[in-house]
Each structure stands twice: as C-alpha cells, then as structure tokens.
Amino acid sequence: MSSNTSCQDVVILTKHGKEQVLADVLEAELGWQLRATDAFDTDTLGTFSGDVERQGSAEQTATQKALLACELEGVEIGLGSEGSFGAGPFGQLIPWQVELVACHNAREGWTVIGEAQGPSCHLHRECPRLEDALHFWTQAPQGQGLMVYAPSQKAQTLRKGIVDKPALIEAYLAAAEVETPVMVEYDLRAHLCPARRSVIADAARDLLEKLNNHCPACKAPGFAYKTPLPGLECEQCTCPTQQPKAHLAQCQRCGYEAQQSVPMAGASPASCQICNP
Ligand SMILES: [Zn+2]
Ligand SMILES: [Zn+2]
C-alpha cells in the first residue's frame, strides 16, 4: 500500500475491521487516508453479545468513538461507528437494524452522523442436535460468523467468532454438555457479518452526502434535508396527511434552519385518513 502525503490522516476507532468498508466509500471522494486504531477497547462501550450493555444512545456512542479517535491519535478528523439491533418502525414484527457512522472534526468543532437502516440480518436457532447446528451454518451467508452457547448459562458458555466446521462442532459439544437445545446465532461483529458490512457502507454513503452539504450560514458540513415534516395535502380532499410536505435541514453547529418542499403537488388519497380511513 502506498501512502499519499497529500491525503488527510483520518482515524477510526474500531476493533472489528470496519475501516475497509468505510475506506472503500470515503477515501477517494474526500481525499482521506483512513486508518484504524484499537488504542481504546470499544467493547467497553457495549457489545452485541450482551456481555456489556451500551450506556448512551447509539448516536452518543458513535459520536464518543469519533471524539476518542481524535483525542487518542491527535488527528483533526475521527470516525466512530455504532450498530443497533431491535424493534423498528414495524415493532416486533420485523426486527430492525440501524447503522451509524459519526465523523467528528476536532479543529472546526462539528460532528456529522451518516445513517442507514433496514430489516435485521440477525438469525438464531435453538439446535437440539449437532446436525441442526451444522444445517444452520450451511444456510448462513458466506463469511457469516456464529456464536454458540447454552441458553441458561450464556455468560459462562458463550463462544464467539466461529467461522469453520471444527470450531462449530467443538463449541456445540461443549455447550451441549450443559444443556440442549444449544443456541446458535449470528455473530454480528462487522468483520464476521457481510450483511452488516453492506449496511455500514450505506451509512458511509449517507455520511458522504451530508459532508458534501454545507450550512449556508456558517459553512459547517452536515446540512442535509433529512427530517420529514408531515402534512402534505391530499390531492382529493386537501386534508393534511402523514406524507411529508417538506424536509427540514438544521445546522447542528449554528442552528440555522431551512425547509425544502417535496416535488409532489399533493398526496395520494390512498394515504389520506379521510378518503381512505
Ligand atoms: Zn451553520
Ligand atoms: Zn383525502
């Protein structure tokens, strides 16, 4: 790898190989040379396997990681990313996944957060027999890592980062000595979860778009028309609907606000509470 001295040195605080995903999207576009630091153990801020609970919100955690990257490495720009799995817009019906990538500029004093979300890629299965665990493994996407544990003694029996058959067999048999069925589930850490990496790449693209939009008042980046303002009038009865009539942009540094109207003249009666109750 050649180092380009004209590129800006940007650091991401990560243990789990997210830097390549982010570098692919951001480096060429922004003139960055992205490198990872593990100078701080991000697992102390929360883990997916649940052995460490996250304290703040996902936004706070991503921002905190970006700030730490700046502080620990003494660079102007730091990145931090954070994923969340849980209930989404469809409640418990469709498990949901949100990925955030925060970019902090320590010299200019702003933070911009890229976001992407969608149905969760997470799967788990109770496996009464070893064959069930092996079947689950063969059904998983190429490169997807697994975790194995005895449900009643998760902390004591948890094995993470299982990527091959011998390791799966060994972990299954060890957990099965405690109890069956054994729980087998996806290891969601980014380096072991290709589906998650693709959502992180989407979040990086969202970040890129926001970084390229500057506040008209103070020139800070991140001025993107993203917050929907409901109330588009029904084209049949002219009552306001839940469809957005405009999107709001707000500068998180100086507070300047502006709205951008949607291109549609009116909402479809299908989305109207009056015409289509
Ligand atoms: Zn501003
Ligand atoms: Zn209507």
Side-chain angles (χ1 to χ4, degrees):
M1 233 185 316
S2 68
S3 74
N4 185 340
T5 48
S6 69
C7 285
Q8 182 156 23
D9 181 26
V10 175
V11 173
I12 177 162
L13 186 65
T14 181
K15 269 176 64 177
H16 303 309
K18 294 170 189 160
E19 69 272 21
Q20 195 53 53
V21 182
L22 299 176
D24 288 347
V25 178
L26 300 172
E27 272 189 335
E29 294 284 343
L30 295 167
W32 287 356
Q33 178 86 40
L34 189 62
R35 63 186 168 91
T37 177
D38 58 1
F40 178 90
D41 183 359
T42 54
D43 280 355
T44 62
L45 300 174
T47 62
F48 288 129
S49 43
D51 28 348
V52 183
E53 284 291 327
R54 185 170 68 204
Q55 295 299 314
S57 69
E59 285 83 0
Q60 287 167 337
T61 305
T63 301
Q64 190 185 358
K65 288 178 181 174
L67 280 159
L68 279 165
C70 292
E71 279 173 22
L72 293 166
E73 299 291 321
V75 290
E76 183 177 324
I77 298 181
L79 298 182
S81 98
E82 181 69 7
S84 311
F85 290 77
F90 307 100
Q92 300 298 331
L93 200 62
I94 303 177
W96 208 248
Q97 163 181 6
V98 179
E99 296 291 346
L100 304 177
V101 181
C103 175
H104 179 71
N105 186 311
R107 189 172 59 83
E108 296 177 5
W110 49 257
T111 306
V112 175
I113 299 181
E115 180 180 339
Q117 53 183 296
S120 168
C121 61
H122 182 242
L123 286 180
H124 58 87
R125 186 153 306 153
E126 288 184 350
C127 297
R129 300 167 309 153
L130 175 60
E131 297 79 72
D132 302 317
L134 292 171
H135 181 70
F136 183 67
W137 180 61
T138 57
Q139 300 285 303
Q142 183 82 29
Q144 175 63 55
L146 297 179
M147 306 199 305
V148 171
Y149 57 93
S152 70
Q153 292 187 42
K154 183 173 178 181
Q156 296 90 330
T157 60
L158 178 67
R159 302 236 191 140
K160 303 199 253 185
I162 295 167
V163 292
D164 58 41
K165 198 170 165 180
L168 175 59
I169 292 171
E170 193 194 329
Y172 183 93
L173 294 176
E177 282 193 12
V178 177
E179 69 184 324
T180 53
V182 165
M183 186 65 86
V184 182
E185 63 180 62
Y186 284 10
D187 190 327
L188 296 172
R189 289 175 293 166
H191 62 303
L192 296 171
C193 187
R196 222 190 125 209
R197 286 201 296 276
S198 87
V199 183
I200 292 172
D202 287 344
R205 282 181 210 105
D206 183 55
L207 174 66
L208 179 63
E209 188 193 328
K210 287 175 175 168
L211 288 176
N212 285 328
N213 284 291
H214 296 265
C215 170
C218 78
K219 306 291 175 230
F223 195 79
Y225 295 92
K226 291 280 181 183
T227 310
L229 300 173
L232 187 64
E233 289 179 1
C234 170
E235 58 190 11
Q236 191 164 296
C237 75
T238 71
C239 289
T241 69
Q242 285 304 304
Q243 297 295 306
K245 62 178 181 199
H247 289 90
L248 178 72
Q250 187 181 39
C251 176
Q252 56 99 37
R253 185 163 71 171
C254 79
Y256 180 83
E257 272 186 15
Q259 290 182 23
Q260 193 173 59
S261 298
V262 297
M264 294 83 84
S268 154
S271 65
C272 173
Q273 286 292 323
I274 311 294
C275 300
N276 186 24

